[in-house]
Amino acid sequence: MSSAEIATLPESEGFRIRWGDLAPFIALGVIILLGTMINSNFMSANNMLNVITRSAFIAIIGVGATFVIATGGLDLSIGSMLAFVVGIMIMAMNALAPSLGPWAIPVGALVALVVGSLCGLMNGLIVTVGRIEPFIVTLGTMGIFRALITYMTDGGSLSIDRSLRAAYRPLYFGDFLGVPYPVIITLVIALLGAFILYRTKYGRRVTAVGSNADVARFSGVHVGGVRTMAFVIQGFCVAVAAICYVPRLGAATPTTGQLWELQVITAVVIGGTLLRGGKAHIWGTVAGALILEVIANVMVLSDMVSEYLVAAVQGAIIIIAMLAHRFTSSR
Amino acid sequence: MSLAAPDTAPGRTAPAPVLRAESLSKAYGPITVLSDVTLDIRPGEVHAIIGENGAGKSTLMRLLSGHAEPTGGAMAMAGAPVAFTNAVQAEDAGIVLVHQEILLAPDLTVAQNLFLGRELSRLFAVDDRRMNRRTAEVLAQVGASARPWTIVGDLPLAQRQLVQIARALLDDRKVIILDEPTAMLAHDEVDALLDIVRNLRAQGVAVLYISHRLEEVEALADRVTVLRDGKMIGTWPAADLDQRQMAELMVGRELSMLYPPKREPATAEPALTVEDLTVDHGRITGSFSVRPGEVLGIGGMIGAGRTELIEGLMGLRPSQAGAIRVNGTAVAKPGVGALMAAGVVYLTEDRKGKGLLLNEGLGPNLILQAMDMINPRLRLDRKKEAAVVRSAVEDYDIRVRSLSIEAGQLSGGNQQKLLLAKVMQADPSVVIIDEPTRGIDIGNKSQIYRFIDGLVRAGKACVVISSELPELVGLSDRVLVMRGGRFVAELTGGDITEQNVVYAAASSGKDTEGRKRA
Amino acid sequence: MELRTKGAALLSAAAIAGALTGAAAQAQDKDFTIAVSIPAATHGWTGGVVYHAQEAEKQLEAAYPNIDVIVSTASSATAQVASLEDLSATNELDALVILPFTSEELTGPVEQVASNGTFITVVDRGLSDPSIQDLYVAGDNIAVGANTAKWLVEKLGGTGEIVVLRGIPTVIDDERIKGFQDVIDQSDIKILDIQYANWNQDEAFTLMQDYLGKYPNIDAVWANDDDMLLGVIEAVDQAGREDVQYMLGGNGMKQVIEMVKAGDERTPISTPYPPSMIASAMYMTAAQFAGQAPMRGSFKLDAPLITPENADQFYFPDSPF
């Protein structure tokens, strides 16, 4: 809340710290503190940059997922959709490379954005026009996208043209004034998402629809349109993540993005967005993505946990973080 | 006002109380919500508790039924002191509270609901036969037509209410507390329920009856206890009070007029004309029009199709219309957005489920409907939103502790005013209000009536759907009565009486010709 | 109720299949059906299996007009069981070539098929009861680990510090790691760390980043799989770490064999665990019928090192793997 608004609302409770909203950031702080104690290399600039850069994919997709979940929807297809978009983008770039040279990269990226948005539109229309539960719809499209990428790669891998690799590589590994590009892109996407969600009429309608679709309908809000748009935003965010993903390994495989949907949904929920919709925290989602990545990093850096039990400790930490959240927000 | 002395003095020849509360008090921290209530409840009496919202009725009920523990005072049953720490103890002692809300599992059968948590069993298996038999007995006792094996979700609301009462009767009870049992019921169903209560009284059960509907209290109660602002005002024999006196005791001042005076007959061209509106694939059809400066009342039983007709008009359920004209301009097809743009808004009867975002603050609720009008740009204007909140709170007298309160934390009356303020943001010329005062206290009620009167006097047209007959009669300049999905009668002027409305709503309609006009 | 009908249907199907087998015995040199049941292409290696199975199908059917090959893929163990039931119910099978998803779950269903007199060839993952199979063709996972380790011990001169990436917790992974560790343990080489990366490029990339952050000196990395190796190489390149002398994988993936052929300094070798073993098994099975050559027993494919000199033998430019 800005100071101007506090002035215009003298009776309001004004700047009151909501512990529930801060919980994901506190949890992130605690885990970072833990990591620092466990291994001195944890706080090294290199390690920090690696971890933050790696979390970009989940964070960017998470911004879109925050919209879908805020409207009361759910998108399980995002991991497969990412792989599919990556595949299409690589094929487009490879096809364009001989004629366009390095310009194939921006054109391919544009293709990715269009394809991603269309994938989201498809999900959204099936959900709203077909009136089918988003869980089932996206479970179906998850299979479709996964099968398509497997088909496109023949079960192997689909690599980007060597001539483009060098020009494209810096988008993941390069930096601007020391800040890696994926981090900058994440910030831009999160800022855009926060602006749309908190400062536009569309965003207001997103939370209204998620909070109570009947109320929205009775108030003349086009509920189907709002929901469909959220899926399109999700598709767009997946495409942005795909654009950052390709320069890292330069290839798509049938396992690309596998189970990312679960990581993304976990990040969104850790971030304080309600799974049943109505309450959305863009920055919480970003924090959630960082938490997941930092936990994984700390697990590797510590020698305390057997490699067989790493997943169990990760799961336990996530549950503890959610319990802490519940505890702080209920009082 | 001249009233008989309160009937609190002991020594009168009355049966010994089955339950007695002595100086009962309840405080949450420093806030006292109920103080010093002393009350006798006698077997075989209907004892009404009346008071405005926030007067402490619910708190008293919760204390008596063990849902909350008193912070002061004592209770005694048949002379022996008792103290309940939870509802189960109270039920074991023979006191049960029937909640206002329907608290039944919709996917279970009636019998399964009745015995939920206390299933009868034989060896290790539940004994459905015995439970169904016992359920049938209790259902017969309350006059419910539901069968024990009916799925509760398939029952109409009124039957569910009866099932809930039946559940309370499963074991022998000494005291039954009914909290607003008729809030969800239509007129004839209310009558059936009142008979059930009388029947219980005849069996020697003490019934504690809480209701906003003073006519029910007048018709039913033996004694009336009035609470105001958490304090006990007194207990009177019901015969000594009429409805106006009860209302005055509740609000603590004389109610000059609950309903505003009627207006001159409106003559202007209709603001809204609806022709051959067909809803739910022909189950409900109707034509009507309303003029500026007029309140058009729509009466009828619950289930007659009144709400459905209006929801069809707003495009909220499948519908077709022959023609819709607003201030002379045709509206192509039903729809909330199209009609709002033309100047027609609708307040739903279900303010919690369909009217307000309970987890959101005042601003998001107020601007949700008319967002494009308040805020033509893509970006939200937060200053404007804050201004809308401030003026709405002032203009509609929404009482809030803080402007950042969530809608769900408001009282029913204030929620209704917030909902009214919300639809008024669209600056409509026609306002359609479904059940304008359901479940809200008398002070807020009269305020809402004055708002409606003010709107109409300012040249707007208003349509009111109401199941409360006094309200329909007191508010309307003209009444259309619906039965079985059709309008069956139109009443004007002196013909607008409760009897005529009930007659048209319930009779076969063959001899309503005299009152029916084109 | 439903179960019982299903059981009855199975029984009758088995009876029919039995009758048909009898009939087929008389017309033996006319028509043979070989069913091939393999996992669907869900990652690189199985993608290769599918590719080689389909290639072999084409070649076999072209070479032997009297042999019909049916390739069926399944995405899980249960799906494979179901596809086995379908195959044996709708076809009269002379032979079944199967790469089982898991040993335990598939043993029973394969035994059922075998009881009809069908010739059984098992590939890669063995069944719990080896007596069911007529022919067994498999790569040697222990040798994959051991041969890589021997080469590494020699190149590092018996000392050094290395990190290892594991795949998905399975018998294959366990055997490779065991073969590798047993050899390394006899040298002075220290395994600094060993963690799962699920045979996934992305996870291998992040795990390697973390390894590099954790350990200031790493002499060599063994990724146990070429898919993961690609992620590892990317992470090491990004960190610009000169201390990493060798990065090794396994499986003989196309891209890695290209690197070996080009004489890459950090990845001079790979170890084959070729998905083409499915093709070998199919040829051997077909020979049983077409060539009248008895083909029974166990065949374990060796895991010789792939070096720049012999890399051409392991290079299939058209294979996706």
Side-chain angles (χ1 to χ4, degrees):
Chain A
M1 231 181 223
S2 75
S3 56
E5 281 172 46
I6 294 170
T8 54
L9 290 176
E11 302 97 324
S12 84
E13 286 159 48
F15 192 83
R16 189 168 54 102
I17 295 175
R18 294 194 186 183
W19 289 104
D21 294 355
L22 286 180
F25 301 97
I26 296 170
L28 181 61
V30 170
I31 294 166
I32 288 178
L33 203 71
L34 217 76
T36 322
M37 293 192 302
I38 282 170
N39 192 311
S40 55
N41 286 334
F42 177 78
M43 276 311 263
S44 73
N46 249 336
N47 190 53
M48 276 288 128
L49 279 181
N50 280 347
V51 171
I52 295 171
T53 313
R54 269 163 14 196
S55 67
F57 307 128
I58 299 297
I60 291 171
I61 302 175
V63 169
T66 307
F67 277 87
V68 172
I69 292 175
T71 63
L74 191 68
D75 192 343
L76 295 176
S77 72
I78 39 189
S80 309
M81 193 195 290
L82 175 102
F84 174 68
V85 173
V86 164
I88 293 278
M89 183 165 68
I90 290 177
M91 284 166 80
M93 286 181 182
N94 289 355
L96 293 168
S99 51
L100 294 180
W103 285 103
I105 294 168
V107 177
L110 204 67
V111 169
L113 292 176
V114 171
V115 170
S117 305
L118 286 178
C119 290
L121 182 68
M122 181 176 86
N123 274 337
L125 287 179
I126 301 174
V127 167
T128 55
V129 178
R131 290 166 190 270
I132 306 173
E133 284 293 316
F135 185 92
I136 294 300
V137 171
T138 57
L139 197 66
T141 52
M142 169 168 96
I144 293 171
F145 292 136
R146 183 59 67 194
L148 287 175
I149 184 64
T150 311
Y151 176 76
M152 284 155 57
T153 59
D154 279 336
S157 80
L158 186 61
S159 302
I160 192 166
D161 200 292
R162 267 169 231 270
S163 62
L164 299 176
R165 191 74 213 279
Y168 197 0
R169 209 171 172 271
L171 187 65
Y172 184 82
F173 293 106
D175 59 68
F176 178 75
L177 301 177
V179 186
Y181 287 120
V183 176
I184 294 173
I185 293 171
T186 307
L187 286 175
V188 170
I189 290 290
L191 274 170
L192 258 173
F195 175 78
I196 294 174
L197 192 60
Y198 303 131
R199 297 297 171 105
T200 67
K201 292 192 286 184
Y202 172 71
R204 189 53 75 72
R205 285 171 179 154
V206 164
T207 40
V209 166
S211 176
N212 186 331
D214 270 336
V215 171
R217 207 162 58 92
F218 273 66
S219 304
V221 174
H222 193 306
V223 174
V226 171
R227 287 209 162 124
T228 307
M229 193 61 204
F231 277 100
V232 173
I233 291 174
Q234 171 75 85
F236 182 86
C237 288
V238 166
V240 173
I243 292 169
C244 300
Y245 175 86
V246 171
R248 185 164 94 174
L249 296 172
T253 70
T255 53
T256 297
Q258 206 164 37
L259 296 183
W260 281 18
E261 54 275 357
L262 295 187
Q263 287 200 47
V264 168
I265 292 167
T266 311
V268 171
V269 174
I270 290 179
T273 298
L274 289 181
L275 203 45
R276 62 172 163 76
K279 204 150 230 149
H281 292 288
I282 294 280
W283 295 107
T285 298
V286 175
L290 279 169
I291 287 174
L292 291 183
E293 208 58 67
V294 171
I295 291 176
N297 180 251
V298 170
M299 283 297 113
V300 176
L301 292 188
S302 79
D303 287 318
M304 297 184 296
V305 183
S306 146
E307 81 232 45
Y308 301 108
L309 289 176
V310 166
V313 176
Q314 285 176 341
I317 291 177
I318 289 167
I319 290 172
I320 291 168
M322 291 308 292
L323 285 176
H325 187 221
R326 160 64 47 117
F327 198 67
T328 47
S329 54
S330 64
R331 203 62 327 248
Chain B
M1 66 179 106
S2 61
L3 283 173
D7 170 55
T8 38
R12 282 230 243 168
T13 51
V18 56
L19 175 65
R20 182 174 169 79
E22 185 82 52
S23 302
L24 220 49
S25 302
K26 177 71 180 173
Y28 292 98
I31 303 159
T32 303
V33 291
L34 195 71
S35 63
D36 207 20
V37 173
T38 298
L39 193 65
D40 275 348
I41 298 154
R42 300 167 188 161
E45 79 162 343
V46 175
H47 192 133
I49 309 280
I50 60 174
E52 288 194 273
N53 280 352
K57 303 186 301 277
S58 301
T59 308
L60 178 60
M61 297 307 108
R62 291 168 61 77
L63 295 183
L64 293 178
S65 62
H67 285 83
E69 285 184 72
T71 45
M75 288 194 286
M77 285 191 80
V82 287
F84 306 128
T85 53
N86 60 51
V88 175
Q89 288 179 5
E91 288 192 18
D92 288 344
I95 303 174
V96 65
L97 170 65
V98 178
H99 290 271
Q100 176 180 3
E101 298 87 19
I102 306 279
L103 299 173
L104 297 170
D107 296 325
L108 299 185
T109 68
V110 172
Q112 283 166 347
N113 263 294
L114 255 56
F115 285 92
L116 195 60
R118 45 183 170 164
E119 287 83 357
L120 303 177
S121 61
R122 205 173 53 180
L123 294 177
F124 298 104
V126 290
D127 190 348
D128 279 321
R129 262 220 320 219
R130 201 145 57 96
M131 288 194 284
N132 281 344
R133 211 177 320 127
R134 177 78 185 112
T135 302
E137 287 168 22
V138 183
L139 289 176
Q141 195 182 347
V142 298
S145 62
R147 315 307 311 165
W149 46 84
T150 312
I151 300 291
V152 162
D154 295 341
L155 290 174
L157 220 49
Q159 288 289 324
R160 286 188 224 181
Q161 184 73 40
L162 293 182
V163 169
Q164 196 154 255
I165 293 169
R167 185 165 67 176
L169 297 177
L170 204 54
D171 299 324
D172 279 339
R173 301 299 185 193
K174 297 191 178 72
V175 180
I176 291 184
I177 305 170
L178 297 172
D179 187 8
E180 297 276 355
T182 57
M184 310 291 269
L185 302 187
H187 201 267
D188 58 334
E189 295 159 347
V190 170
D191 287 344
L193 185 102
L194 298 191
D195 284 340
I196 293 164
V197 174
R198 291 191 185 100
N199 195 13
L200 288 171
R201 171 169 62 189
Q203 294 168 24
V205 177
V207 179
L208 218 52
Y209 193 90
I210 303 163
S211 183
H212 278 120
R213 298 189 180 176
L214 297 181
E215 69 271 22
E216 286 170 14
V217 173
E218 191 175 40
L220 193 64
D222 299 306
R223 290 193 300 157
V224 178
T225 291
V226 182
L227 297 180
R228 188 198 309 149
D229 297 332
K231 292 185 188 67
M232 168 126 179
I233 303 302
T235 301
W236 287 268
D240 294 352
L241 297 176
D242 64 15
Q243 287 185 45
R244 168 147 307 182
Q245 287 169 317
M246 289 184 213
E248 285 171 357
L249 284 170
M250 280 162 60
V251 297
R253 61 190 141 86
E254 299 211 10
L255 283 175
S256 53
M257 292 287 274
L258 182 55
Y259 299 102
K262 293 281 172 79
R263 298 140 296 263
E264 291 295 305
T267 51
E269 284 300 302
L272 170 67
T273 309
V274 178
E275 284 170 20
D276 298 324
L277 178 66
T278 307
V279 184
D280 286 0
H281 314 290
R283 192 172 68 82
I284 296 152
T285 65
S287 303
F288 65 92
S289 64
V290 58
R291 299 172 195 277
E294 177 183 54
V295 176
L296 169 67
I298 299 183
M301 307 278 181
I302 284 181
R306 297 166 301 167
T307 297
E308 291 82 351
L309 183 79
I310 298 301
E311 287 186 356
L313 173 66
M314 305 311 285
L316 296 167
R317 51 176 71 225
S319 64
Q320 281 183 318
I324 303 171
R325 276 192 305 281
V326 182
N327 298 319
T329 316
V331 175
K333 62 175 193 178
V336 177
L339 278 160
M340 181 171 66
V344 183
V345 294
Y346 168 57
L347 259 86
T348 170
E349 60 173 336
D350 184 0
R351 64 174 168 261
K352 288 186 176 174
K354 293 168 180 163
L356 295 174
L357 300 169
L358 300 179
N359 296 323
E360 298 279 355
L362 303 178
N365 272 296
L366 281 168
I367 70 161
L368 181 62
Q369 177 143 10
M371 204 184 289
D372 289 323
M373 300 183 189
I374 297 169
N375 197 94
R377 292 177 308 153
L378 191 72
R379 191 179 164 167
L380 280 176
D381 186 339
R382 292 196 165 185
K383 279 205 186 105
K384 203 170 218 172
E385 185 173 332
V388 165
V389 170
R390 262 180 286 117
S391 68
V393 165
E394 211 162 287
D395 297 348
Y396 294 86
D397 192 28
I398 303 168
R399 311 260 173 91
V400 289
R401 272 181 281 124
S402 127
L403 287 186
S404 57
I405 196 169
E406 288 179 1
Q409 297 169 307
L410 295 173
S411 74
N414 282 314
Q415 283 180 351
Q416 190 69 12
K417 288 191 271 188
L418 177 65
L419 188 56
L420 189 61
K422 169 187 159 184
V423 299
M424 292 310 292
Q425 297 302 320
D427 192 22
S429 55
V430 181
V431 185
I432 305 174
I433 310 181
D434 200 349
E435 302 293 357
T437 63
R438 172 177 285 173
I440 70 177
D441 63 57
I442 201 145
N444 279 316
K445 250 185 191 179
S446 82
Q447 245 183 335
I448 285 177
Y449 296 149
R450 271 182 278 123
F451 281 135
I452 294 175
D453 183 55
L455 292 179
V456 173
R457 284 186 196 279
K460 298 188 190 304
C462 189
V463 179
V464 171
I465 300 175
S466 178
S467 299
E468 286 189 38
L469 286 176
E471 173 176 290
L472 191 70
V473 169
L475 214 51
S476 307
D477 299 308
R478 191 157 59 93
V479 173
L480 286 169
V481 182
M482 186 165 246
R483 189 180 65 232
R486 305 283 185 276
F487 285 124
V488 293
E490 178 173 9
L491 307 172
T492 51
D495 284 344
I496 306 178
T497 64
E498 295 190 24
Q499 289 78 3
N500 282 347
V501 173
V502 170
Y503 187 74
S507 71
S508 64
K510 279 183 187 133
D511 51 0
T512 53
E513 291 304 314
R515 277 183 292 270
K516 202 170 172 183
R517 289 176 17 182
Chain C
M1 174 66 199
E2 201 179 74
L3 264 176
R4 206 182 297 159
T5 359
K6 214 173 184 178
L10 253 179
L11 271 178
S12 59
I16 294 167
L20 288 175
T21 327
Q26 291 168 347
Q28 209 169 37
D29 54 337
K30 289 222 169 131
D31 223 348
F32 302 105
T33 304
I34 301 177
V36 182
S37 174
I38 51 177
T42 49
H43 62 270
W45 194 78
T46 48
V49 169
V50 174
Y51 168 82
H52 286 287
Q54 283 166 346
E55 288 297 303
E57 177 186 8
K58 278 182 225 154
Q59 289 175 9
L60 279 175
E61 286 180 346
Y64 309 107
N66 61 336
I67 290 182
D68 183 24
V69 179
I70 306 167
V71 175
S72 159
T73 62
S75 55
S76 69
T78 33
Q80 197 173 25
V81 172
S83 96
L84 274 190
E85 287 176 0
D86 294 347
L87 279 173
S88 56
T90 53
N91 296 286
E92 150 204 352
L93 299 183
D94 297 290
L96 170 71
V97 180
I98 181 165
L99 199 165
F101 247 97
T102 56
S103 311
E104 292 75 15
E105 286 165 282
L106 268 302
T107 299
V110 172
E111 192 172 15
Q112 177 88 23
V113 177
S115 67
N116 300 332
T118 305
F119 184 89
I120 303 290
T121 304
V122 177
V123 185
D124 191 28
R125 259 154 276 188
L127 299 176
S128 305
D129 178 3
S131 69
I132 299 167
Q133 68 214 13
D134 298 290
L135 180 62
Y136 179 53
V137 179
D140 188 345
N141 278 308
I142 294 195
V144 167
N147 289 348
T148 312
K150 277 178 205 149
W151 184 89
L152 201 56
V153 170
E154 187 185 317
K155 286 286 171 182
L156 290 178
T159 61
E161 293 174 321
I162 63 171
V163 291
V164 177
L165 289 82
R166 301 194 66 159
I168 294 170
T170 51
V171 178
I172 301 173
D173 186 66
D174 289 346
E175 285 182 354
R176 283 189 190 180
I177 297 296
K178 184 178 182 326
F180 186 82
Q181 269 179 330
D182 284 351
V183 173
I184 293 291
D185 284 350
Q186 289 160 17
S187 72
D188 288 330
I189 294 177
K190 189 180 171 215
I191 297 180
L192 293 170
D193 215 328
I194 181 160
Q195 301 273 352
Y196 285 104
N198 299 325
W199 284 322
N200 181 305
Q201 265 184 38
D202 286 307
E203 292 180 45
F205 175 84
T206 49
L207 178 57
M208 194 59 213
Q209 275 197 333
D210 291 344
Y211 279 163
L212 292 168
K214 190 174 175 183
Y215 304 105
N217 181 61
I218 297 172
D219 292 313
V221 189
W222 184 49
N224 126 26
D225 167 88
D226 286 341
D227 245 329
M228 292 202 287
L229 177 62
L230 295 182
V232 166
I233 292 172
E234 209 57 62
V236 172
D237 283 350
Q238 180 226 352
R241 284 276 289 261
E242 304 285 340
D243 52 315
V244 183
Q245 302 169 47
Y246 299 109
M247 295 182 274
L248 306 177
N251 274 7
M253 184 186 191
K254 190 170 66 179
Q255 285 90 328
V256 175
I257 295 191
E258 282 168 10
M259 290 165 63
V260 172
K261 271 171 69 172
D264 191 289
E265 281 187 8
R266 294 176 305 181
T267 311
I269 59 146
S270 185
T271 1
Y273 191 78
S276 59
M277 70 175 71
I278 189 75
S280 312
M282 285 164 69
Y283 290 133
M284 287 154 104
T285 307
Q288 164 81 17
F289 296 98
Q292 313 290 338
M295 283 296 211
R296 284 171 200 273
S298 253
F299 296 85
K300 208 153 219 190
L301 302 179
D302 199 8
L305 290 182
I306 304 173
T307 59
E309 291 74 39
N310 67 1
D312 275 332
Q313 300 169 26
F314 298 93
Y315 187 55
F316 301 95
D318 295 330
S319 164
F321 186 68

